[in-house]
């Protein structure tokens, strides 16, 4: 029943995505820090998201959806449960949307992804803003990334695998699986910030992940990696952001680039060379 409701929500989001008259932007704050938890202070990622939101809000006719992943650590019972890696057994075993949760028998409930999937589906443009945590993306972002594997080749019809029959799923894949890209063609922007190391590699890894799912970069100005308060105390990091008017403007430019690309695509003026080609090997 939960899976059917999630599938219906995705179908409704896909209908909204098909409306080419109203650009839809999904803005994602990926920091786990917020003023509602033990730090008692909002994150720089959230502030940068607000800077980008102002750009989209000032543009007429743009629908904006905010996804604040810090809610995972500030709200009771909100979870993104780990991916169980069904895809690595056989692509057809990974259902779109994910059917692994909720699992009431194990108490694995209140999974947020069934609300998050439609946000991605409805969007024409996605903007991800994340800090660097130990040379990697943040924990909330990685949880969401892993659970989005079903959007890249996942099986939209669980009856074909009679639920979770692994041997049947393997047989289906070996007979020929078309790896449907359920988020194909959406445009993206990535903003990564850090204080010491890792921003370039994290930005590349996010961009590579999105491109592998057949989302499209909005343009060079839409991808940004910067240090804020390089090697300075954490205690003054917000003051460093206040003083860095250049990085603030670069975030605005990333948002402007994404919006320009989305509008052009909806008007049929944006061509992504090679988008109709298919790789000779699918996986």
């Amino acid at each position: 029943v939960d899976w059917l409701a999630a599938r219906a929500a995705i179908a409704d989001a896909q209908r909204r995505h098909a409306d080419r008259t109203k650009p839809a932007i999904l803005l994602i704050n990926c920091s786990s820090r917020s003023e509602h938890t033990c730090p008692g202070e909002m994150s720089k990622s959230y502030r940068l998201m607000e800077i980008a939101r102002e750009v989209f809000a000032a543009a007429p006719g743009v629908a904006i959806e905010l996804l604040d992943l810090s809610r995972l650590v500030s709200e009771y019972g909100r979870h993104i449960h780990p991916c169980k890696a069904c895809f690595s057994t056989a692509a057809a075993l990974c259902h779109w949307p994910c059917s692994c949760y909720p699992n009431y028998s194990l108490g694995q409930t209140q999974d947020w992804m069934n609300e998050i999937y439609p946000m991605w589906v409805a969007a024409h443009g996605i903007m991800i803003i994340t800090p660097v945590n130990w040379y990697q993306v943040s924990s909330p972002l990685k949880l969401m990334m892993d659970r989005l594997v079903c959007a890249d080749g996942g099986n939209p019809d669980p009856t074909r695998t009679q639920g979770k029959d692994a041997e049947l799923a393997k047989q289906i894949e070996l007979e020929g699986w078309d790896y449907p890209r359920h988020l194909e063609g959406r445009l993206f922007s990535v903003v990564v910030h850090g204080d010491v190391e890792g921003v370039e590699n994290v930005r590349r890894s996010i961009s590579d992940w999105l491109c592998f799912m057949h989302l499209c970069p909005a343009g060079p100005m839409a991808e940004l990696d910067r240090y804020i308060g390089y090697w300075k105390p954490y205690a003054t990091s917000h003051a460093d952001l206040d003083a860095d008017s250049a990085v603030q403007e670069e975030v605005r430019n990333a948002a402007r680039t994404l919006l320009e690309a989305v509008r052009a695509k909806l008007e049929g003026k944006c061509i992504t060379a090679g988008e109709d080609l298919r790789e000779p090997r699918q996986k």
Side-chain angles (χ1 to χ4, degrees), residues 171-222:
Q171 178 183 338
I172 292 170
E173 183 176 17
L174 291 174
E175 288 173 352
W177 188 249
D178 60 355
Y179 295 91
R181 262 73 179 207
H182 301 289
L183 298 174
E184 186 172 17
R186 287 155 180 80
L187 296 158
F188 70 82
S189 167
V190 176
V191 174
V192 177
H193 66 92
D195 48 61
V196 178
E197 292 286 355
V199 292
E200 188 173 2
N201 288 339
V202 170
R203 189 261 305 160
R204 283 175 175 170
S205 70
I206 297 172
S207 179
D208 287 348
W209 162 61
L210 293 167
C211 286
F212 194 87
M213 294 201 298
H214 286 198
L215 282 78
C216 302
M221 296 284 282

Side-chain angles (χ1 to χ4, degrees), residues 8-23:
I10 284 175
D12 180 66
Q14 189 63 51
R15 285 189 288 270
R16 285 182 277 128
H17 177 79
D19 182 1
R20 305 178 71 84
T21 64
K22 190 171 187 179

Side-chain angles (χ1 to χ4, degrees), residues 13-59:
Q14 189 63 51
R15 285 189 288 270
R16 285 182 277 128
H17 177 79
D19 182 1
R20 305 178 71 84
T21 64
K22 190 171 187 179
I25 301 294
L26 175 60
L27 261 173
I28 308 176
N29 166 41
C30 301
S31 176
S32 57
R33 183 164 66 117
S34 82
E35 67 273 30
H36 304 297
T37 59
C38 59
E41 185 174 82
M42 72 173 62
S43 66
K44 293 184 289 297
S45 293
Y46 187 89
R47 292 186 57 194
L48 296 174
M49 182 185 73
E50 283 294 298
I51 288 172
R53 185 191 62 80
E54 291 170 0
V55 171
F56 298 120

Side-chain angles (χ1 to χ4, degrees), residues 226-252:
R226 290 292 181 267
Y227 292 109
I228 299 171
Y230 185 65
W231 279 110
K232 292 183 179 180
Y234 292 110
T236 59
S237 63
H238 278 284
D240 293 327
L241 176 54
D242 288 337
D244 198 336
S245 58
V247 78
Q248 294 176 40
E249 188 64 16
E250 286 176 315
V251 171
R252 292 187 187 96

Side-chain angles (χ1 to χ4, degrees), residues 93 135 180:
L93 195 63
Y135 293 81

